[in-house]
Amino acid sequence: GAVVSQHPSWVICKSGTSVKIECRSLDFQATTMFWYRQFPKQSLMLMATSNEGSKATYEQGVEKDKFLINHASLTLSTLTVTSAHPEDSSFYICSARVGGGVNQPQHFGDGTRLSIL
Amino acid sequence: AQSVAQPEDQVNVAEGNPLTVKCTYSVSGNPYLFWYVQYPNRGLQFLLKYITGDNLVKGSYGFEAEFNKSQTSFHLKKPSALVSDSALYFCAVRDRIRDSNYQLIWGAGTKLIIKP
């Protein structure tokens, strides 16, 4: 149980393109989803916290207009990297928390490797 | 502020030997601690958590972790390592960020290499 599906797993695109990444909870309802960015050989950096039906809360230093997050349903959140540039190349990972219990673990998607040429 | 430290960038263990991956924490209040594992080009998988109760927590794939309040540690252990345990391991502590919402504060990660 508690499977999170993230799609696509790998994206290569030209500079200036906008890229959408989907994160779905397949067998549970995720009231809260998290978007992370991970640089090579580094830990996860939280970008934003997304609650269903409300605007995402972004961490300091993360551009809201650059990284658009939509959490339209209890099973789907999307991250759109707008007008992507090479410096946006990274490994992006989403996670979802089961139910509303704050002590519940987060369950992660397999990540999306984004490469901007 | 809450913080987590994983003092070792890499741990090397021979297959069949016991393994320990270290984690220390700093929190105000009761700690809520987690261990996750990440395989190459994959997301993270939950291994175990400590919220309250027994100090020895058992998790997935034969892993366990020992909560030690006096030493503020939550080391991950396994009695007999497998080559397939080779991966990146993250320790995390829950942090309240705003209102009733929480996030996980992550350690830097420890690369575990199990040699045949």
Side-chain angles (χ1 to χ4, degrees):
Chain A
V3 176
V4 175
S5 174
Q6 188 171 341
H7 178 81
S9 57
W10 201 296
V11 180
I12 301 174
C13 59
K14 294 181 179 180
S15 184
T17 307
S18 291
V19 179
K20 180 185 281 188
I21 303 170
E22 291 188 350
C23 180
R24 295 181 183 271
S25 56
L26 296 185
D27 51 1
F28 66 97
Q29 292 186 330
T31 53
T32 305
M33 286 188 171
F34 304 86
W35 286 96
Y36 292 89
R37 185 172 179 177
Q38 186 179 31
F39 294 98
K41 299 183 180 181
Q42 293 191 29
S43 188
L44 288 81
M45 182 192 79
L46 180 66
M47 298 175 66
T49 303
S50 166
N51 290 300
E52 185 268 337
S54 61
K55 290 183 179 180
T57 303
Y58 290 81
E59 295 304 304
Q60 192 173 9
V62 178
E63 299 176 59
K64 300 178 183 181
D65 296 333
K66 177 73 172 178
F67 299 99
L68 300 178
I69 292 173
N70 185 288
H71 192 166
S73 76
L74 286 171
T75 59
L76 174 64
S77 177
T78 61
L79 167 67
T80 301
V81 183
T82 61
S83 187
H85 289 93
E87 59 266 28
D88 298 323
S89 298
S90 191
F91 193 53
Y92 293 87
I93 309 174
C94 74
S95 73
R97 192 164 60 210
V98 177
V102 296
N103 294 333
Q104 293 297 320
Q106 293 179 27
H107 296 275
F108 288 78
D110 278 344
T112 297
R113 186 158 299 284
L114 177 61
S115 297
I116 308 299
L117 305 177
Chain B
Q2 326 285 49
S3 66
V4 171
Q6 292 180 244
E8 303 155 316
D9 290 337
Q10 183 169 311
V11 171
N12 298 300
V13 177
E15 186 178 26
N17 284 0
L19 70 87
T20 299
V21 183
K22 295 180 180 178
C23 173
T24 59
Y25 64 89
S26 174
V27 303
S28 55
N30 294 323
Y32 296 86
L33 299 156
F34 301 81
W35 273 104
Y36 284 82
V37 59
Q38 184 180 31
Y39 296 98
N41 294 310
R42 301 290 297 275
L44 279 68
Q45 295 180 31
F46 169 73
L47 283 178
L48 51 80
K49 65 178 179 180
Y50 172 82
I51 304 299
T52 187
D54 290 341
N55 289 341
L56 186 63
V57 179
K58 293 189 182 298
S60 306
Y61 311 120
F63 283 93
E64 57 188 28
E66 186 171 8
F67 171 68
N68 188 316
K69 188 173 183 178
S70 62
Q71 296 185 5
T72 61
S73 67
F74 189 55
H75 300 333
L76 182 70
K77 300 180 180 183
K78 187 172 182 179
S80 179
L82 300 172
V83 173
S84 57
D85 293 329
S86 299
L88 192 57
Y89 290 80
F90 289 98
C91 182
V93 64
R94 192 194 77 176
D95 183 29
R96 180 172 179 170
I97 50 176
R98 57 188 67 80
D99 300 327
S100 60
N101 215 344
Y102 295 81
Q103 65 163 319
L104 292 178
I105 302 297
W106 299 89
T110 298
K111 186 175 183 180
L112 177 64
I113 298 177
I114 309 300
K115 297 182 178 179

